[in-house]
Amino acid sequence: MGVDWFNQRRLHSTLDYLTPDEFKMVYGQELALHPEMLQA
């Protein structure tokens, strides 16, 4: 249980103080609005 909290629900400063799940959701929404972000 401690590892789950630390890795999945803890706010991360490198992710703009979002949880990893929140970051993935926001990132996915941004990609849907701006698909050109995928092109390198």
Side-chain angles (χ1 to χ4, degrees), residues 20-37:
D21 290 337
E22 291 170 331
F23 183 81
K24 284 193 289 188
M25 182 181 67
V26 170
Y27 183 70
Q29 291 171 347
E30 289 294 318
L31 284 178
L33 292 173
H34 305 282
E36 67 275 5
M37 290 172 46

Side-chain angles (χ1 to χ4, degrees), residues 7-40:
N7 291 325
Q8 296 303 317
R9 295 179 300 196
R10 181 176 63 102
L11 302 179
H12 293 263
S13 60
T14 57
L15 301 179
D16 200 21
Y17 292 97
L18 298 171
T19 66
D21 290 337
E22 291 170 331
F23 183 81
K24 284 193 289 188
M25 182 181 67
V26 170
Y27 183 70
Q29 291 171 347
E30 289 294 318
L31 284 178
L33 292 173
H34 305 282
E36 67 275 5
M37 290 172 46
L38 287 174
Q39 298 177 9

